Amino acid sequence: MPTIEQLEALYRISHQLTFEMSQPIFLVWVEESTRNLYLLAGYDYKIEFEVAPNGDLS
């Protein structure tokens, strides 16, 4: 389950990708071992985000 901070970051990223950059989002998941949230996007699947439980992006 994502944290509130991760959900806030996911919302910001999703808005930028879809409304500002017109890029599709293909996959969002939380890695159970690290609790990091991952997002895969872009027409060529080359846009990746990793969000730590505290909401920091890597």
Side-chain angles (χ1 to χ4, degrees):
M1 181 65 95
T3 65
I4 296 298
E5 293 83 2
Q6 285 174 317
L7 292 174
E8 290 172 351
L10 177 61
Y11 179 83
R12 288 190 309 272
I13 294 166
S14 298
H15 177 75
Q16 288 177 341
L17 284 171
T18 57
F19 290 106
E20 295 175 17
M21 299 171 62
S22 298
Q23 294 290 321
I25 296 172
F26 290 104
L27 185 62
V28 176
W29 78 98
V30 175
E31 178 63 42
E32 293 300 322
S33 61
T34 62
R35 300 209 41 202
N36 288 346
L37 184 141
Y38 295 93
L39 184 139
L40 180 63
Y43 288 107
D44 53 3
Y45 303 97
K46 291 187 178 180
I47 302 173
E48 300 176 10
F49 289 94
E50 180 179 349
V51 184
N54 65 1
D56 289 344
L57 296 175
S58 326

